């Protein structure tokens, strides 16, 4: 056991120590919940921890800024790191163990294994961040193997990631149940995200428009409008609102993330968007009920 950054929350940094603690819980007949994070925690993460606490007797949260899911030009170096505060927040949310491995622990010299997920990983984020789901799949597969939890909770905020993790866990027979938890928003509907910390006061005002624009588009799609036209209209609205660039606005089938063949939402859908405010890229999504 390592020196904890918060007195109320034990910390482990090695897989061996993690397994020892989780193994002891399991021998006592306790169930284990898991929440993977990259730290810089906010209320959205804490909701996941509380959900895990509802689903299991003990909760492990990992804090690991995973280098393999960042491209060279992305914000790995500047990604916010605040381990002591994270530990305090986790303790307050009912977490029982923080797992904060080093990069060497996760990716020892000679590490050479990849995990490639197709299906829901194709398109959307992958068109703009081709490295992303490869990195996420490897680290999540490793973390699930390391923790051996009964249940793991992921946020719907990263909806495509949630679908990719579900598919990987199913395809690889990983014995952990995956639970999706609803996106947490501020009082104006802005999805909570660690990257919101990069936004200026003016940018936050614009960012708060994203949710409303997606909600209008979702309602139009449910009412039977053309998916392609609604996507184009929402893209225009985001640019008019002050977003500097829109990577995508896409309405897809909710589970597979496949496109709608007939340009109409005829089964449960999801609208997903990624848009830029200066140097900050925001993502959001919401349900599109079938009309
Ligand atoms: O969603 C995140 O914070 C990360 O992608 C995850 C799941 C912790 C993997 O690094």
């Amino acid at each position: 056991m390592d020196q904890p950054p918060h007195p109320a929350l034990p910390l482990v940094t090695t897989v061996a120590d993690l397994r020892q603690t989780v193994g002891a819980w399991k021998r006592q007949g306790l169930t284990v919940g898991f929440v993977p994070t990259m730290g810089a925690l906010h209320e959205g993460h804490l909701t996941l921890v509380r959900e895990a606490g509802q689903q299991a007797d003990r909760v492990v949260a990992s804090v690991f800024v995973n280098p393999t899911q960042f491209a060279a030009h992305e914000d790995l170096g500047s990604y916010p790191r605040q381990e002591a505060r994270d530990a305090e927040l986790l303790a307050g949310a009912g977490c029982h163990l923080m797992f904060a491995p080093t990069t060497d622990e996760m990716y020892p010299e000679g590490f050479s294994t990849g995990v490639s997920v197709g299906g829901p990983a194709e398109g959307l984020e992958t068109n703009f961040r081709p490295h992303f789901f490869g990195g996420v799949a490897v680290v999540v597969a490793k973390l699930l193997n390391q923790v051996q939890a009964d249940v793991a909770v992921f946020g719907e905020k990263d909806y495509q990631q949630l679908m990719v993790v579900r598919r990987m866990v199913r395809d690889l027979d990983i014995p952990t149940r995956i639970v999706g938890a609803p996106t947490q928003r501020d009082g104006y509907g802005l999805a909570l995200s660690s990257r919101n910390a990069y936004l200026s006061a003016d940018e936050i005002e614009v960012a708060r428009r994203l949710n409303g624009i997606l909600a209008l588009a979702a309602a139009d799609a449910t009412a039977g409008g053309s998916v392609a036209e609604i996507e184009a209209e929402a893209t225009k609205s985001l640019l008019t609102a002050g977003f500097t660039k829109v990577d995508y606005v896409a309405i897809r089938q909710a589970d597979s993330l496949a496109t709608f063949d007939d340009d109409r939402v005829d089964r449960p859908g999801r609208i997903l968007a990624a848009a830029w405010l200066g140097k900050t890229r925001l993502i959001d999504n919401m349900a599109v009920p079938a009309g």
Side-chain angles (χ1 to χ4, degrees):
M1 202 70 64
D2 296 71
Q3 184 66 29
H6 186 273
L9 183 66
L11 167 76
V12 287
T13 57
T14 66
V15 177
D17 283 351
L18 171 71
R19 289 209 162 127
Q20 202 172 16
T21 303
V22 172
W25 289 339
K26 289 196 166 182
R27 284 191 295 281
Q28 293 170 52
L30 299 170
T31 56
V32 179
F34 174 50
V35 179
T37 83
M38 297 206 301
L41 302 181
H42 51 66
E43 189 51 35
H45 297 106
L46 303 181
T47 306
L48 306 183
V49 172
R50 287 187 208 106
E51 180 60 34
Q54 295 289 317
Q55 307 255 351
D57 301 315
R58 292 287 179 272
V59 178
V60 179
S62 61
V63 173
F64 178 64
V65 183
N66 174 36
T68 65
Q69 67 191 74
F70 289 79
H73 62 277
E74 291 183 341
D75 55 346
L76 174 63
S78 59
Y79 197 84
R81 286 164 172 85
Q82 44 178 51
E83 196 174 278
R85 184 164 179 274
D86 287 345
E88 189 180 335
L89 292 172
L90 288 172
C95 178
H96 299 92
L97 183 69
M98 177 166 162
F99 175 45
T102 60
T103 302
D104 284 347
E105 179 75 6
M106 292 299 275
Y107 299 111
E109 181 72 31
F111 185 90
S112 36
T113 298
V115 179
S116 163
V117 184
E122 286 160 13
L124 304 172
E125 284 300 292
T126 298
N127 290 341
F128 298 90
R129 308 180 70 200
H131 58 282
F132 181 64
F133 286 122
V136 167
V138 165
V139 82
V140 172
K142 281 176 67 74
L143 288 165
L144 293 176
N145 271 330
Q146 291 163 348
V147 181
Q148 305 266 313
D150 298 278
V151 58
V153 186
F154 290 78
E156 286 183 352
K157 157 83 174 26
D158 296 285
Y159 189 81
Q160 190 179 8
Q161 170 175 277
L162 171 61
M163 295 303 115
V164 169
V165 168
R166 279 196 201 287
R167 184 67 62 93
M168 176 186 77
V169 161
R170 189 203 71 175
D171 289 353
L172 298 183
D173 303 309
I174 296 176
T176 299
R177 187 163 54 86
I178 304 300
V179 168
T183 304
Q184 297 300 302
R185 300 179 181 279
D186 75 3
Y188 302 85
L190 174 63
L192 300 187
S193 163
S194 305
R195 289 189 169 104
N196 291 352
Y198 300 152
L199 298 172
S200 68
D202 286 348
E203 286 172 334
I204 285 185
E205 292 306 310
V206 179
R208 286 179 169 153
R209 304 280 308 279
L210 175 57
N211 162 66
I213 289 169
L214 294 186
L216 271 181
D220 287 347
T222 297
S226 150
V227 164
E229 283 172 21
I230 293 166
E231 289 170 350
E233 198 55 44
T235 301
K236 225 188 300 170
S237 300
L238 289 173
L239 293 170
T240 307
F243 281 89
T244 45
K245 187 160 70 115
V246 177
D247 281 350
Y248 59 84
V249 176
I251 300 173
R252 296 293 178 88
Q253 296 183 34
D255 290 338
S256 62
L257 296 181
T259 52
F260 285 97
D261 287 342
D262 296 327
D263 196 37
R264 296 281 186 268
V265 174
D266 54 7
R267 65 193 71 186
R270 199 88 190 176
I271 182 164
L272 305 100
W276 291 83
L277 274 168
K279 290 187 170 133
T280 307
R281 184 174 187 272
L282 300 181
I283 58 171
D284 200 355
N285 69 86
M286 64 186 63
V288 183

